[in-house]
Amino acid sequence: MSEYMFNGLDSYDTPEDHPVSLLFKLMFKSRWYFYFRNFGTFVRSGRCAAKGLLDKDMQIHYSNENIRLIEDCGAKLRLRGLDNLRALNGQPAVIIGNHMSLLETASLHAVMREYVDFAFVVKESLLETAYIKDILIALGAIGVSRTNPREDLKKVLTEGKKVLQAGRSMIVFPQSTRTKNFDREQFNSIGVKLAKSAGVPVVPMALKTDFLENGKIIRDLGGIVPERDVRFEFGPAMNIEGNGQAQQSAVEDFIAAAFEQWQQEEK
């Protein structure tokens, strides 16, 4: 039976009285509490994937562990627009969002998988990383180099179209790297091009995951900031019309508006 945490909900906010982990407090709110539990989840999930057992329910199960970890560290999860995922009724789509931290790939199955079966576009190097590679292979992730944009585009359009034609969705982060702020200039149109090629709609996704920072020395071992909310917001699906420029602008507008609203709420 699925452990999906948000059945019947369009939005969710972590309760204000959700208890912070005692061990986290005893460790002086150290990032290593987060990484120890997070690494454990990756190991268990990777072993599950290696055995061919990482099905929908297990994807949600392990991703739920990361959601609970976020809340146990004192951060608040805030979800909006889950009805827009439900409205897809299993139809494949290209979900296009900004990219801020590794927290997205760790938590999106808990948020989305009940309604959307999806694959990611990821860095090729992750497909060579212990445990993570088994997870990504099981999920059908598409690896790109991030050094040859022309070849990356060709690969995403070719392999991503196959994923969509098989009835699964694709999550695309059009930015070349993880960034704290949303910059339209760094937000390319690869997601819209893929959706147009496959004849499927796009769904805009705005996210804020700077609870987990990018590290200054080791990029994947940044600090954690529990005072920062973790946010995911999904817009209505849009069919691609013409060259897709209108839908590209609409996706960018959706993300920009979400960031503006979040900044107002957190003042």
Side-chain angles (χ1 to χ4, degrees):
M1 182 176 180
S2 173
E3 297 180 40
Y4 186 63
M5 300 167 62
F6 313 111
N7 276 317
L9 300 179
D10 179 53
S11 62
Y12 169 85
D13 294 282
T14 300
E16 291 299 322
D17 60 353
H18 184 88
V20 177
S21 165
L22 177 59
L23 182 56
F24 181 54
K25 294 179 180 178
L26 292 175
M27 292 179 66
F28 302 102
K29 299 184 177 181
S30 168
R31 75 180 73 180
W32 301 116
Y33 171 85
F34 174 87
Y35 285 112
F36 179 78
R37 281 184 55 180
N38 180 246
F39 179 71
T41 297
F42 272 123
V43 170
R44 291 189 297 276
S45 181
R47 288 174 175 169
C48 181
K51 295 176 182 177
L53 301 176
L54 193 61
D55 60 9
K56 172 185 173 180
D57 288 347
M58 296 309 295
Q59 291 165 20
I60 293 174
H61 171 80
Y62 287 116
S63 192
N64 281 348
E65 290 189 8
N66 289 314
I67 293 294
R68 296 186 183 102
L69 174 56
I70 291 167
E71 295 182 324
D72 288 349
C73 288
K76 299 294 189 289
L77 175 67
R78 306 196 186 280
L79 307 179
R80 300 291 184 270
L82 296 178
D83 281 349
N84 291 319
L85 300 180
R86 191 180 297 111
L88 289 171
N89 290 319
Q91 175 189 11
V94 178
I95 294 94
I96 306 174
N98 58 301
H99 190 20
M100 191 172 287
S101 78
L102 288 176
L103 198 61
E104 292 123 41
T105 51
S107 57
L108 273 174
H109 281 87
V111 175
M112 298 177 59
R113 184 62 181 87
E114 181 70 10
Y115 307 119
V116 183
D117 184 7
F118 58 88
F120 287 108
V121 176
V122 301
K123 291 187 299 183
E124 284 180 338
S125 59
L126 291 175
L127 294 172
E128 301 173 358
T129 304
Y131 299 111
I132 294 177
K133 69 178 180 180
D134 293 318
I135 299 170
L136 295 177
I137 290 172
L139 298 176
I142 298 172
V144 295
S145 67
R146 298 267 178 93
T147 59
N148 190 328
R150 185 184 297 273
E151 288 301 314
D152 288 348
L153 174 61
K154 182 179 178 181
K155 187 173 185 179
V156 170
L157 290 178
T158 301
E159 297 191 17
K161 187 175 181 179
K162 293 178 181 177
V163 171
L164 292 161
Q165 289 176 336
R168 303 180 69 211
S169 293
M170 286 292 307
I171 292 182
V172 177
F173 301 116
Q175 299 161 228
S176 59
T177 188
R178 304 190 294 262
T179 57
K180 185 175 181 178
N181 299 307
F182 176 62
D183 182 358
R184 292 175 187 262
E185 296 298 320
Q186 301 296 321
F187 204 80
N188 64 51
S189 60
I190 190 170
V192 167
K193 290 175 180 175
L194 174 58
K196 180 180 179 181
S197 176
V200 302
V202 295
V203 173
M205 173 178 67
L207 55 86
K208 181 177 178 293
T209 61
D210 55 347
F211 156 84
L212 179 61
E213 296 188 313
N214 295 312
K216 296 179 180 178
I217 299 175
I218 302 177
R219 189 165 175 77
D220 293 338
L221 290 177
I224 61 171
V225 187
E227 294 76 20
R228 294 174 181 167
D229 292 342
V230 175
R231 297 177 180 264
F232 293 95
E233 184 166 345
F234 304 91
M238 298 179 288
N239 292 318
I240 304 300
E241 300 176 358
N243 61 12
Q245 288 186 354
Q247 287 70 48
Q248 176 72 17
S249 295
V251 170
E252 295 176 5
D253 290 345
F254 178 85
I255 298 172
F259 266 71
E260 182 176 351
Q261 179 179 342
W262 297 340
Q263 289 172 353
Q264 291 295 323
E265 292 177 3
E266 294 175 6
K267 281 185 177 179

